[in-house]
Amino acid sequence: MPAPHSAGCPFAPPPAYTEAAAAGTMTRAVLPGGESCWLATGYAEVRTILSDRRFSADVRHPNFPLLLPGRREVIAKNPSFLRLDDPEHARLRRMVTGDFLVKRVEAMRPDIQQIVDETLDRMTEGRTEADLVADFALPVPSLVICLLLGVPYEDREFFQSISRTLLSNTGTIEGLQKAQEELLQYLEGLTARKRERPEDDILSRLAARDDLTLREAANTGILLLIAGHETTANMISLSTALLLDRPEQVARLADPAAVPGAVEELLRHLTIVHTGLPRVALEDVELGGTTVKAGEGVIAMLSTANRDEAVFGGAGHRPVEEVDLDRDARRHLAFGFGVHQCLGQPLARAELQIALATLFRRLPGLRLSRPGEEPAFRTDSFIYGMRSLSVTW
């Protein structure tokens, strides 16, 4: 791991992961650094790992299973709350929970719609061809998260470049350390300025807290900034590429009542964190007829869990390996599960619903501009996505 994707089926998890799932819900795997860990591929097993306090998300554990050798030591120096257990995790997470509540996100929908419309205006003005990634999928969530956090959008090239380094599964440890420190210093400086001149944004509210250091605020900012634009941007571009190849399903997006369900199915089917979520067992745990011993690493494979036929199959639906926008996919694990599940999922859902419905409504003739050309997928990142997607209308 990380395993290569199949050229013939680029929207599916890598064949090595589906083969592991076929072999059993719990299998052994060897990480690139030579360490052994468990691979959990079944839906029930993955849910248990992510919700059971006997499994730790704390990256500071010696056997914490990460794909890039040496990555654990770098992250452990400045872990975000995503890589901590309660009570540390809960203390830091609570500080920003209010900004992502469903009620607050629903109130943001007009602003998100305006951002989507203005981005499409710029993309289509005076031309009939564009790179959907650079001109639409990346700007929309970047603008939204910058607005929420209080990060200047004009700094996007800097933080987008840093994000690619931090998420790379092929880079060097030295490069990772340098990128992490650069982004921490940038956000520490920005947060310090917010402390002097606060505005209505997340960084200003974090800066005003007496129980939070600038470094802790910057760590939280890194998590929200990267997760807030990288994941949604890749979901927009992958979803578009998938639907352009399946025009018979695009019609579902024309029905406003069907859009939320369609987005849930896209999240299930694509599950862009293909490499899974790492945990460490704190005590012996029985899972799927297997004993995971205390201290052993486990990787919860969201992508294979979301293709569990027993959970998402059933009469009247396409096989789980296929996308079916009429499927009830609400139990998917694309955002994780348990106390660490994605804080920003209400925002991601709103952005995807608005972006995809508006894109196909305003550009009904949208199609690939180079049909015979293989799209440029991103395989060098822990978040699966696209480098570019040439489209015309």
Side-chain angles (χ1 to χ4, degrees):
M1 299 188 305
H5 288 76
S6 169
C9 197
F11 301 109
Y17 302 158
T18 55
E19 290 167 9
T25 58
M26 297 292 295
T27 57
R28 298 296 290 180
V30 177
L31 299 172
E35 308 95 333
S36 178
C37 72
W38 288 101
L39 207 61
T41 56
Y43 183 86
E45 288 75 17
V46 168
R47 271 179 57 122
T48 297
I49 290 165
L50 298 181
S51 59
D52 194 319
R53 298 300 177 93
R54 292 176 295 175
F55 290 96
S56 172
D58 194 329
V59 70
R60 295 169 296 189
H61 282 291
N63 294 332
F64 198 79
L66 291 178
L67 298 186
L68 188 63
R71 190 180 183 91
R72 185 190 69 80
E73 289 76 14
V74 176
I75 299 175
K77 291 178 181 178
N78 293 288
S80 69
F81 60 75
L82 187 67
R83 300 296 195 190
L84 297 171
D85 293 332
D86 290 340
E88 290 176 279
H89 159 263
R91 178 182 74 87
L92 294 169
R93 182 181 174 115
R94 276 196 300 266
M95 295 180 185
V96 290
T97 299
D99 291 283
F100 296 95
L101 294 175
V102 172
K103 183 177 180 181
R104 180 149 190 162
V105 170
E106 288 301 303
M108 289 179 59
R109 279 184 175 266
D111 294 325
I112 297 172
Q113 183 67 64
Q114 182 177 350
I115 286 172
V116 169
D117 284 330
E118 290 177 351
T119 304
L120 275 175
D121 289 343
R122 288 190 293 271
M123 185 179 92
T124 58
E125 185 177 8
R127 54 178 174 163
T128 58
E129 185 173 344
D131 175 1
L132 190 93
V133 174
D135 295 324
F136 183 69
L138 191 53
V140 166
S142 295
L143 281 160
V144 172
I145 199 61
C146 283
L147 180 67
L148 265 176
L149 276 177
V151 173
Y153 183 64
E154 54 267 28
D155 292 342
R156 64 191 181 280
E157 290 187 9
F158 165 72
F159 68 72
Q160 286 169 3
S161 174
I162 292 287
S163 297
R164 285 191 289 272
T165 300
L166 292 176
L167 291 171
S168 173
N169 57 32
T170 60
T172 65
I173 293 301
E174 293 74 21
L176 176 64
Q177 289 175 316
K178 183 174 182 291
Q180 183 184 60
E181 190 57 36
E182 283 182 7
L183 193 50
L184 278 170
Q185 289 180 4
Y186 167 78
L187 287 170
E188 278 185 309
L190 183 57
T191 305
R193 293 194 294 275
K194 298 280 186 181
R195 184 168 285 176
E196 299 298 322
R197 296 183 295 278
E199 298 176 279
D200 184 18
D201 55 56
I202 292 175
L203 286 181
S204 292
R205 286 187 281 279
L206 291 176
R209 300 187 67 101
D210 295 328
D211 57 345
L212 196 67
T213 67
L214 283 177
R215 179 55 57 115
E216 286 178 320
N219 269 321
T220 298
I222 285 180
L223 174 61
L224 299 180
L225 184 61
I226 295 177
H229 79 273
E230 280 284 349
T231 52
T232 307
N234 285 306
M235 269 302 302
I236 291 172
S237 57
L238 281 170
S239 297
T240 303
L242 179 77
L243 292 171
L244 289 179
D245 194 41
R246 295 160 178 80
E248 77 284 356
Q249 299 214 41
V250 174
R252 299 300 293 135
L253 297 177
D255 177 4
V259 170
V263 165
E264 297 307 309
E265 169 64 355
L266 290 166
L267 286 162
R268 178 204 71 83
H269 184 78
L270 293 168
T271 313
I272 58 176
V273 184
H274 281 185
T275 50
L277 300 180
R279 296 291 189 267
V280 169
L282 299 180
E283 57 185 85
D284 291 1
V285 183
E286 288 286 332
L287 272 179
T290 298
T291 299
V292 179
K293 295 186 179 299
E296 290 187 321
V298 184
I299 297 181
M301 301 302 295
L302 306 179
S303 56
T304 56
N306 278 341
R307 293 182 177 224
D308 192 321
E309 190 71 46
V311 179
F312 299 105
H317 288 299
R318 299 169 189 250
V320 291
E321 292 78 18
E322 299 179 23
V323 67
D324 180 354
L325 297 191
D326 289 318
R327 191 193 312 273
D328 182 0
R330 288 174 294 177
R331 289 181 291 169
H332 70 77
L333 304 175
F335 291 115
F337 193 67
V339 297
H340 286 86
Q341 65 181 307
C342 177
L343 175 72
Q345 57 183 293
L347 179 63
R349 285 186 165 102
E351 289 180 84
L352 289 168
Q353 291 166 13
I354 294 169
L356 292 172
T358 305
L359 176 68
F360 284 100
R361 184 187 74 246
R362 287 190 51 178
L363 300 175
L366 190 69
R367 60 192 184 279
L368 296 176
S369 57
R370 303 179 182 92
E373 184 177 291
E374 181 71 22
F377 291 94
R378 289 181 61 186
T379 58
D380 60 348
S381 174
F382 290 107
I383 296 176
Y384 190 56
M386 307 195 75
R387 295 184 185 281
S388 61
L389 183 65
S390 297
V391 294
T392 188
W393 51 88

